[in-house]
Amino acid sequence: MKTDSAWKAISTWFGGGSIIWTLLGLALLLLVDAVWVKDFFTLEWRDGHLYGTPVDILHQGSKVMLLALGMTLVIATGGVDLSVGSLMAVAGAIAAWALTAGGMSAASALPLALLVTTLIGSLSGLLVAVLGVQPIVATLVVMVAGRGIAMLVTGGQILTLQDPTLRFIGGGYFLGLPFTVTLVVALLALTLFLTRRTAFGLFIEATGDNETASRFCGVPVRLVKVLVYAFSGFCAALAGIVATGNIHAADSARVGEMMELDAIFAVVVGGTALTGGRFHLLGSLLGALLIQTLTTTMYNLGVPPTVAPVPKAVVIVLVCLLQSPVFQARLRTWKKAKTPEVTA
Amino acid sequence: MSDSDPALLSLRGIDKSFPGVKALQDVALRLRAGEVHALMGENGAGKSTLIKVLTGLYPRDAGSMRLAGQEISPASPRQAEALGISTVYQEVNLIPALSVAENICLGREPVKWGCIQWHQVRQRAVKALQRLGLQLDVTARLDTLPLALQQMVAIARALEIDAKVLVLDEPTSSLDEGEVEALFSLLRRLRGEGLGILLVTHFLDQVYAISDRITVLRNGRLVGEFLTAELPRLKLIGQMLGREPDAGQAAAAPSTDLTQVSRPVILETKAAGFRGGIQQLDLSLRAGQITGLAGLLGSGRTETARMLFGIDPATTGSIEIDGVAVPLDSPKAAIARGLAFCSEDRKREGIIPHLSVRENLILAMQAGRGPWKKAPLAQQTELAQRYIATLGIKTPSPETPIRNLSGGNQQKVLLARWLVMQPRLLILDEPTRGIDVGARAEIDRLIAQLSADGMAVLLISSELEEIVANSQSVTVLRDRRAVGHLQGSTISVAEIMKWIAHSGEEAA
Amino acid sequence: MRLLRRQHIPLLATVGMLIVLFSVASALYPGFASLRVVANLFSDNAFLGIVAVGMTFVILSGGIDLSVGAVLAFTTILIASLVGAGWHPLLAISVALVLGSGFGAAMGWLIHRFILPPFLVTLAGMFFARGMAFLVQAQSAVVSHPFYDALGDLRLQIGPKAYLPITALLFLLVVLVGIVIARRSRFGRAVYAIGGAEASALMMGLPVGRTKVRVYALSGFCASLGGVAATLYMGSGNPAMGSGLELDAIAAVVIGGTLLTGGVGSVFGTLAGVLIFGTIQSALVFDGRLNSWWLRIVIASLLLAFILLQKALARSASAHP
């Protein structure tokens, strides 16, 4: 009884019933890795750093995890943010420009990049909340414009960067683990603080679950919407800085390409419904981890990375089907039709 | 026409259930050729369900349907149309962005080599409109026409096929008087052509102006079929509401406290209204008094509540709080002035389904405090537990999602949501709809208690007993206007029904 | 009958914009106002245009199709590798078109049958088709077949040194057929009706489900046909081709005056939208000083302007019924 309620608490914390599927999926992947991939779980402590495939997965998956935190809140209001991939490029480009042509130090260049990107991100929020544009459309506009802005800032070139701070953010080690892990934990803590220590979390969930009723209660629905898109922009900026640090360069054309899809995927797999309402930050991180494990596993199995999208697509459709009320109803009638046969 | 004549359309023993609800039980309907037949009933009577069964949107569970002696079972609106049953729905069900001609012919356009012959489409549309005595530019986009003409276009579409039965679901709810008259003269003409017309409407005057027979439904059952000429208004209302008009005195009004009149007015509307909702409303709501708002469905009850709460702000007249005119242009503004509103549509406008009882209960309060000053969890739980105890809300825990609760308990949570705010005026729209008898009594007792504590309450209900039993003052609405004000001992079901029934001239 | 109606404003704005843009570019850059440049507008944007016509129907129906770029890429590499394996090009093209349409229909079925959000299903479709493209062949491959070369060399002279190649002709043909389908077929009108008011369309007895599935099938067909055009244009197939094409196509459709919420718009408008896209691109090439990335920003601004124009029109329409 006690373990039962404890399990319930844990599972709601992560994302209700659907989290079991995510965990199962992850376990299945890890099993595949354990059997077929040599030395998958081997961790090694060298020069005060931890090395190994699981550590790599955490490091590689950090960008999607950062994006997924912001995306979770947007999706919880019933929206979606397609612009995060482009915004990553914007943040990288601005940071690179400020560090090189702008001659700034990292201490001022990085905050500048964060600020500008957040502002651009909140533009979609304004379009959605004030003008009533559909979220897909509004963020599509920002997505198209963002990539262009990023390319303009870097002049279409790949800017190589030698800044030690940036390199540390993208590839440094902290407490024996890649610094990106710390960054994800810090952003998670910030997001949890902002949503659970204030009433924003409640307002976001109420808005996504029943916008009309929320408005009738006096919930500032518009403000909530603007803020979640701004926050998603902020998360994208962080991910963009990490990506730029990863490769020691701002590559405006490629950075963050298709990342928005991975982020949406992570959120949906993590148990937050696309229709909005209850959100699960830890579930989203788990979802991001699942994607990265999938990618890494396939890489280790020799599947070319370009083919990796195929299983991703299959998983997305399956998850959507499982969440679809129509599909659930069908499944139930199918089961019902099946049971009498079995018992008879 | 004698009753032995075979009816054009006859429905017998129709049953229809939805999960948890018996929407229709053993309902019958006989529609004769060349008559206008009114289908009447209050909310939940089953009118819409019956029409949807008739037009093939819902399959029936049991019963038979005969059209001109042939057994029929339409499985879709398209099949019903092919059989000769055409329907014009309440909200104009056409495509606003397409042309008039296209709306009339959509889905059955004349085609040659797979190509639509537009000139034929236009010709057919012009002809269909001519039948109604209309001349319109059929190439104009539908949404450039006023609503009344859109309605006519919908009828033209319905008649463009060889219709034998025309079903009109509340065709007049958005029309003004002149437009209604034009529609009726058209209906008379069509009746003359031998069509059977089934008309659903809430407006009594209109029923008496146009219909030959009336079928009344109540709670999914047939009450009876009547000749309009032989059914007095008062009796009709009695049939719809399920009570005899003269039995009204049984429910005695609560004794009037003579000091009540001197109680301060909290909110007063002066000729307030908005288009399509309520017109020229004068209403005073006093502290410590329950004011009932009575009227049939569609009389402007809910619209009044929405106007006061700033959802559909008043566009004419003014609303004063404590004698000062205030702009109530959003729910937020209304809440800030001490108003609270429990909507009749619990599911769409009340509950936040996946959130817990606690979260639902403190949402309005938290919205008032703003996002930064989050009420501590301990305080939230304490509030939730206090209201769960005082209102007797049956829930496994404050953390249960509200959608898992029964309707009555959901309603109590929504009441508690506003009680936490200690509002000065509480607007309750159908607070006991869909709630079992026990919970109903509790909610009524609670309302009385709140009023005794000095709160002003505006009680909207389609059940006159509820109004009579609870209110110290009653305003009666008809056709989106206030037609009568009752005070104290003059309040009775019979009196209210009289006001609802009488046409404007008689009442004056 | 009034000649100028409110609903024509977005289309007029589009055509006006095209004329203004072309005039400004002609004034700024010598040699811009030539038949050759115009012909190139059609041939350079042929596959975008073909894809955009399919997208027009999807958007008119109130949906969206993000898979088109990937389906196009899949088609190009499939044709290249089938022809490489000795198939006759016509057979390879037929197979590709059937696969593309079938893929679209499958997505449409999922969207309709299980009420899934179109953007998510077609997003998965994009992943799937892109991955399959790389699975067919990971590197770009030349399509070499005498028939194919002959087909690719077909062109129509429209003036001195100005030719419309087969791709441009294909584009124009698709636009014409698209206009006929949209204007004169029951299917086309049902698409408008569903996008305008789906519940009403259902009540009016229109075949909503069938139409939706067909819309996505049509978009899949156009995406594959765009792939055919691309192989003819470049003489090769490439699994990485057309990434971001879906966005350009959506942008062209919206700039062409089609409402993103569905129900209002035209295939002709999409043609104008594609030409605006092409004109800006050509002007940037002619200029040489401006970074080509301005294209993205200009397109995004146009997109925003048109969305705001549509919002404003919708608002003023509801204020004065």
Side-chain angles (χ1 to χ4, degrees):
Chain A
M1 197 63 199
K2 186 136 191 212
T3 52
D4 195 45
S5 65
W7 166 249
K8 224 174 183 175
I10 292 168
S11 89
T12 17
W13 185 239
F14 272 96
S18 61
I19 200 67
I20 294 159
W21 297 103
T22 317
L23 283 171
L24 269 179
L26 197 58
L28 196 72
L29 276 175
L30 293 177
L31 195 70
V32 169
D33 285 324
V35 176
W36 278 288
V37 181
K38 213 175 145 232
D39 300 333
F40 183 87
F41 289 103
T42 311
L43 290 173
E44 204 182 331
W45 185 264
R46 224 184 317 130
D47 313 329
H49 300 162
L50 200 59
Y51 290 95
T53 315
V55 179
D56 285 346
I57 289 177
L58 281 177
H59 177 57
Q60 296 293 336
S62 61
K63 281 164 288 188
V64 175
M65 291 199 229
L66 293 173
L67 293 181
L69 288 171
M71 187 69 80
T72 306
L73 301 189
V74 173
I75 288 181
T77 63
V80 73
D81 189 351
L82 299 180
S83 70
V84 290
S86 284
L87 290 180
M88 283 175 67
V90 172
I94 292 175
W97 174 84
L99 285 169
T100 54
M104 292 187 198
S105 68
S108 46
L110 298 186
L112 178 75
L114 285 173
L115 181 72
V116 174
T117 313
T118 307
L119 285 177
I120 298 177
S122 57
L123 190 70
S124 1
L126 286 174
L127 287 175
V128 171
V130 180
L131 291 172
V133 179
Q134 304 140 274
I136 298 180
V137 178
T139 55
L140 198 70
V141 170
V142 175
M143 176 190 194
V144 174
R147 192 65 68 182
I149 292 171
M151 292 304 284
L152 269 188
V153 170
T154 55
Q157 310 286 314
I158 297 177
L159 291 185
T160 321
L161 297 166
Q162 300 303 332
D163 184 76
T165 315
L166 202 58
R167 294 186 86 132
F168 174 75
I169 292 174
Y173 277 79
F174 184 66
L175 302 173
L177 285 169
F179 176 69
T180 46
V181 176
T182 311
L183 202 58
V184 170
V185 172
L187 188 65
L188 173 67
L190 177 70
T191 316
L192 280 173
F193 175 82
L194 284 177
T195 54
R196 299 306 181 200
R197 280 286 152 165
T198 73
F200 277 117
L202 177 67
F203 289 177
I204 289 169
E205 292 182 333
T207 302
D209 203 12
N210 188 342
E211 186 171 335
T212 310
S214 303
R215 201 156 44 82
F216 288 4
C217 283
V219 172
V221 170
R222 288 182 174 185
L223 176 72
V224 165
K225 286 191 177 175
V226 174
L227 288 179
V228 291
Y229 285 94
F231 185 71
S232 178
F234 175 77
C235 295
L238 274 181
I241 289 170
V242 167
T244 308
N246 275 165
I247 55 171
H248 315 307
D251 179 359
S252 296
R254 306 299 307 278
V255 159
E257 229 185 359
M258 298 280 140
M259 269 312 194
E260 57 278 347
L261 309 183
D262 283 351
I264 295 169
F265 177 82
V267 174
V268 174
V269 172
T272 302
L274 266 174
T275 43
R278 282 271 189 237
F279 61 84
H280 307 279
L281 293 167
L282 285 173
S284 299
L285 291 190
L286 210 58
L289 219 51
L290 179 74
I291 299 183
Q292 190 56 48
T293 312
L294 188 70
T295 312
T296 308
T297 303
M298 283 192 295
Y299 180 77
N300 287 336
L301 291 176
V303 179
T306 45
V307 181
V310 174
K312 264 191 212 170
V314 174
V315 175
I316 291 188
V317 171
L318 277 180
V319 169
C320 285
L321 277 179
L322 284 174
Q323 287 187 356
S324 150
V326 183
F327 186 78
Q328 288 169 0
R330 273 222 114 181
L331 217 58
R332 266 195 299 276
T333 52
W334 181 71
K335 261 189 208 158
K336 248 185 223 161
K338 202 93 196 227
T339 9
E341 276 179 21
V342 176
T343 50
Chain B
M1 219 176 269
S2 84
D3 268 84
S4 61
D5 273 351
L8 175 62
L9 174 76
S10 93
L11 277 64
R12 224 174 289 156
I14 302 289
D15 283 2
K16 177 72 198 168
S17 299
F18 298 106
V21 196
K22 283 212 152 182
L24 293 177
Q25 270 181 284
D26 194 23
V27 170
L29 177 76
R30 285 165 67 79
L31 178 68
R32 292 144 190 89
E35 75 166 1
V36 175
H37 195 123
L39 182 61
M40 303 211 58
E42 274 291 274
N43 231 322
K47 294 167 304 190
S48 317
T49 312
L50 185 63
I51 284 178
K52 284 178 176 154
V53 167
L54 181 61
T55 57
L57 269 174
Y58 296 157
R60 59 181 186 264
D61 298 343
S64 82
M65 240 160 90
R66 286 172 164 271
L67 182 67
Q70 297 282 317
E71 181 69 32
I72 57 164
S73 276
S76 69
R78 179 162 241 183
Q79 279 184 22
E81 265 185 22
L83 291 165
I85 302 173
S86 270
T87 311
V88 175
Y89 292 95
Q90 182 170 5
E91 276 125 42
V92 181
N93 266 287
L94 297 175
I95 317 292
L98 296 184
S99 74
V100 170
E102 192 160 13
N103 268 296
I104 291 175
C105 295
L106 197 64
R108 45 186 191 234
E109 301 96 336
V111 173
K112 197 169 159 193
W113 306 106
C115 279
I116 295 173
Q117 304 300 303
W118 282 111
H119 59 280
Q120 284 184 31
V121 168
R122 285 191 287 272
Q123 279 168 9
R124 267 168 61 174
V126 168
K127 228 162 80 192
L129 288 167
Q130 266 168 2
R131 185 172 172 199
L132 312 189
L134 284 174
Q135 277 197 311
L136 294 176
D137 171 10
V138 294
T139 62
R141 238 172 84 148
L142 183 77
D143 57 5
T144 60
L145 300 183
L147 221 56
L149 281 181
Q150 293 188 26
Q151 190 92 52
M152 293 293 188
V153 173
I155 295 174
R157 175 184 169 83
L159 296 177
E160 208 261 337
I161 57 156
D162 194 17
K164 300 185 193 86
V165 173
L166 177 63
V167 182
L168 297 168
D169 189 358
E170 291 183 42
T172 58
S173 40
S174 44
L175 306 186
D176 67 27
E177 275 171 48
E179 292 164 344
V180 169
E181 200 29 64
L183 175 69
F184 280 3
S185 67
L186 169 66
L187 292 186
R188 286 189 196 101
R189 186 131 55 90
L190 294 173
R191 172 170 62 186
E193 292 176 19
L195 230 65
I197 299 171
L198 184 64
L199 175 72
V200 180
T201 179
H202 301 309
F203 299 107
L204 286 185
D205 291 355
Q206 296 177 4
V207 168
Y208 281 93
I210 186 85
S211 74
D212 305 301
R213 277 193 176 77
I214 302 173
T215 290
V216 179
L217 301 183
R218 193 175 62 241
N219 296 328
R221 288 174 181 278
L222 177 69
V223 175
E225 189 200 84
F226 310 91
L227 280 169
T228 310
E230 294 169 5
L231 184 69
R233 278 165 190 253
L234 216 51
K235 193 127 184 260
L236 170 62
I237 296 168
Q239 300 286 6
M240 288 167 63
L241 299 176
R243 52 178 305 115
E244 292 302 312
D246 47 3
Q249 297 299 353
S255 63
T256 315
D257 184 347
L258 287 176
T259 60
Q260 249 167 23
V261 188
S262 62
R263 289 201 175 171
V265 172
I266 300 243
L267 180 144
E268 189 169 15
T269 67
K270 292 187 171 163
F274 66 98
R275 193 183 146 79
I278 184 85
Q279 283 160 31
Q280 300 282 331
L281 181 72
D282 293 314
L283 191 65
S284 310
L285 304 175
R286 291 170 188 277
Q289 176 176 295
I290 301 176
T291 305
L293 204 53
L296 292 177
L297 188 67
S299 59
R301 300 178 311 213
T302 297
E303 288 78 359
T304 301
R306 290 175 68 93
M307 177 178 77
L308 295 182
F309 199 58
I311 299 162
D312 297 315
T315 51
T316 57
S318 65
I319 301 176
E320 294 179 358
I321 290 179
D322 300 329
V324 185
V326 289
L328 292 175
D329 52 5
S330 71
K332 214 175 168 171
I335 295 168
R337 305 269 177 191
L339 269 61
F341 170 51
C342 278
S343 163
E344 62 170 340
D345 192 345
R346 264 200 309 273
K347 203 168 153 199
R348 280 192 53 247
E349 301 180 345
I351 62 168
I352 316 280
H354 295 86
L355 297 198
S356 68
V357 169
R358 166 180 59 82
E359 285 164 311
N360 268 282
L361 205 144
I362 58 107
L363 187 59
M365 176 200 72
Q366 184 63 61
R369 289 170 69 128
W372 297 108
K373 280 186 265 167
K374 186 181 184 185
L377 190 61
Q379 187 194 342
Q380 292 184 24
T381 309
E382 190 270 322
L383 265 175
Q385 274 163 348
R386 173 146 43 99
Y387 279 97
I388 286 172
T390 39
L391 303 191
I393 298 170
K394 290 187 191 68
T395 170
S397 103
E399 300 308 317
T400 309
I402 192 167
R403 67 189 172 129
N404 294 356
L405 268 56
S406 71
N409 285 305
Q410 287 182 2
Q411 187 66 26
K412 286 184 190 168
V413 175
L414 297 183
L415 264 174
R417 174 192 283 172
W418 292 116
L419 299 187
V420 175
M421 305 288 289
Q422 300 182 313
R424 302 181 62 204
L425 167 62
L426 178 61
I427 305 167
L428 299 167
D429 193 358
E430 302 281 2
T432 59
R433 175 181 298 165
I435 289 173
D436 64 68
V437 182
R440 203 172 262 233
E442 283 179 56
I443 286 176
D444 283 347
R445 197 166 39 77
L446 182 71
I447 295 169
Q449 180 62 46
L450 293 170
S451 159
D453 292 346
M455 199 181 287
V457 176
L458 180 65
L459 175 65
I460 300 172
S461 175
S462 54
E463 289 178 44
L464 298 187
E465 289 89 344
E466 185 170 24
I467 299 257
V468 170
N470 291 296
S471 315
Q472 288 103 42
S473 158
V474 174
T475 293
V476 182
L477 301 181
R478 191 181 63 229
D479 298 355
R480 300 190 175 133
R481 282 168 193 279
V483 290
H485 295 280
L486 308 176
Q487 287 285 339
S489 56
T490 63
I491 299 173
S492 70
V493 170
E495 193 66 21
I496 295 175
M497 281 171 66
K498 241 186 264 165
W499 281 103
I500 293 177
H502 289 195
S503 67
E505 301 80 56
E506 285 171 83
Chain C
M1 256 207 235
R2 278 174 301 164
L3 281 175
L4 180 65
R5 297 206 168 112
R6 188 195 302 280
Q7 68 260 34
H8 295 143
I9 293 177
L11 187 58
L12 287 175
T14 308
V15 175
M17 175 89 62
L18 177 59
I19 294 170
V20 168
L21 276 173
F22 199 85
S23 313
V24 169
S26 304
L28 283 177
Y29 313 116
F32 196 88
S34 72
L35 216 48
R36 199 168 54 86
V37 171
V38 174
N40 285 346
L41 274 187
F42 283 91
S43 58
D44 293 345
N45 296 292
F47 59 85
L48 169 65
I50 293 170
V51 167
V53 169
M55 184 70 82
T56 309
F57 283 90
V58 178
I59 293 181
L60 278 175
S61 80
I64 202 150
D65 187 352
L66 299 177
S67 73
V68 288
V71 171
L72 179 133
F74 173 76
T75 307
T76 64
I77 195 65
L78 183 70
I79 290 177
S81 71
L82 286 182
V83 172
W87 290 41
H88 190 274
L90 279 180
L91 193 60
I93 289 174
S94 312
V95 167
L97 291 179
V98 168
L99 279 181
S101 316
F103 185 66
M107 291 192 298
W109 181 76
L110 281 173
I111 290 165
H112 164 66
R113 187 66 190 75
F114 300 108
I115 320 176
L116 299 179
F119 98 92
L120 208 78
V121 172
T122 56
L123 200 66
M126 170 210 257
F127 276 145
F128 191 85
R130 183 67 70 188
M132 292 310 276
F134 277 100
L135 206 57
V136 170
Q137 199 165 325
Q139 268 83 41
S140 73
V142 176
V143 187
S144 59
H145 192 279
F147 177 81
Y148 224 80
D149 298 340
L151 207 60
D153 286 341
L154 280 181
R155 57 187 191 172
L156 184 76
Q157 182 154 20
I158 53 167
K161 282 199 221 160
Y163 302 93
L164 283 180
I166 176 115
T167 49
L169 296 174
L170 206 56
F171 171 28
L172 286 171
L173 182 70
V174 168
V175 168
L176 278 179
V177 173
I179 289 175
V180 171
I181 292 179
R183 293 281 313 145
R184 306 206 63 162
S185 76
R186 284 189 179 172
F187 162 76
R189 303 321 291 173
V191 170
Y192 278 87
I194 291 169
E198 188 171 335
S200 296
L202 203 64
M203 297 272 213
M204 289 167 95
L206 296 178
V208 172
R210 197 171 70 203
T211 305
K212 274 193 181 175
V213 173
R214 285 186 186 176
V215 158
Y216 287 92
L218 179 66
S219 176
F221 175 83
C222 285
S224 323
L225 196 63
V228 173
T231 51
L232 287 170
Y233 184 68
M234 312 217 238
S236 65
N238 184 347
M241 195 191 280
S243 95
L245 184 73
E246 56 282 345
L247 298 181
D248 294 346
I250 293 169
V253 171
V254 174
I255 292 172
T258 296
L259 217 58
L260 257 165
T261 43
V264 178
S266 65
V267 174
F268 178 76
T270 299
L271 171 66
V274 171
L275 293 181
I276 287 181
F277 199 92
T279 305
I280 299 169
Q281 207 160 23
S282 305
L284 289 171
V285 171
F286 261 78
D287 187 279
R289 288 167 299 166
L290 283 175
N291 193 311
S292 69
W293 293 101
W294 277 103
L295 179 66
R296 300 259 141 243
I297 294 172
V298 175
I299 290 297
S301 317
L302 280 181
L303 209 53
L304 187 61
F306 271 83
I307 289 165
L308 296 183
L309 173 70
Q310 289 172 351
K311 281 273 161 204
L313 286 175
R315 213 163 271 186
S316 74
S318 66
H320 313 282

